[in-house]
Amino acid sequence: MRTKSGIAFTRPARAFDLADRERLADELHAPGRPQVVYVRCITDDRYDPEAIRPELDLIVETNSTSRARNVWANWALSEGIDGTFRVQVLCPNALPAGKVRRKREDGYDATVDLDMLQLERDLAALDADDRALGLTI
């Protein structure tokens, strides 16, 4: 699937572990091609986050982890999912040619409030209607 801006994304058939993510990064790595970013839902445990809800995992091809998080949020809203989720945005690095070790996987944890995002969209639509009527906001 692709977003309106052309960012490719897909749902994996199963949850990926680190080895799977690294293998995917190696297979899709090519000069000029976007990186692979893996977005998954995790528990709130700060010291030992555990993956939960693998049906919400998403693989995104982009060079921006924040853009990948936004793609995940838009996808989740389009699927009718609501609530607040703790997501882990992971960017595995491809193994450089001729090297034995790869750079450590980059990433961060973020809280995504889908209800708030939907409210913001609904309010933006109402604001647009008000502007069309000539009302000031």
Side-chain angles (χ1 to χ4, degrees), residues 103-130:
K103 277 179 55 181
R104 187 176 191 178
E105 185 175 50
D106 298 321
Y108 63 92
D109 300 348
T111 301
V112 179
D113 187 346
L114 296 174
D115 296 330
M116 182 58 77
L117 290 173
Q118 187 60 53
L119 176 64
E120 289 171 357
R121 287 182 180 184
D122 294 344
L123 291 175
L126 293 173
D127 288 346
D129 291 344
D130 289 348

Side-chain angles (χ1 to χ4, degrees), residues 13 21 95 131:
R21 294 190 302 269
L95 184 65
R131 282 191 197 96

Side-chain angles (χ1 to χ4, degrees), residues 10-11 15 17 28 44 48 54 63 67 79 91 102 108 111 131:
T10 188
R11 281 188 50 217
D17 61 8
L28 296 179
D44 285 333
D48 189 22
N63 288 324
R67 195 171 301 142
E79 294 289 314
C91 186
R102 72 179 71 234
Y108 63 92
T111 301
R131 282 191 197 96

Side-chain angles (χ1 to χ4, degrees), residues 22-89:
E22 288 176 344
R23 194 171 20 262
L24 183 66
D26 290 343
E27 290 173 7
L28 296 179
H29 176 72
R33 186 171 183 165
Q35 291 180 308
V36 174
V37 180
Y38 191 80
V39 184
R40 66 181 181 175
C41 292
I42 59 171
T43 59
D44 285 333
D45 187 351
R46 200 171 128 193
Y47 298 105
D48 189 22
E50 187 177 319
I52 56 171
R53 308 246 349 230
E55 70 275 9
L56 299 181
D57 290 2
L58 203 64
I59 299 169
V60 183
E61 277 191 273
T62 181
N63 288 324
S64 167
T65 54
S66 62
R67 195 171 301 142
R69 186 189 69 233
N70 291 337
V71 167
W72 182 88
N74 290 331
W75 168 80
L77 286 173
S78 72
E79 294 289 314
I81 299 166
D82 58 359
T84 302
F85 293 91
R86 187 92 176 134
V87 296
Q88 196 169 44
V89 182

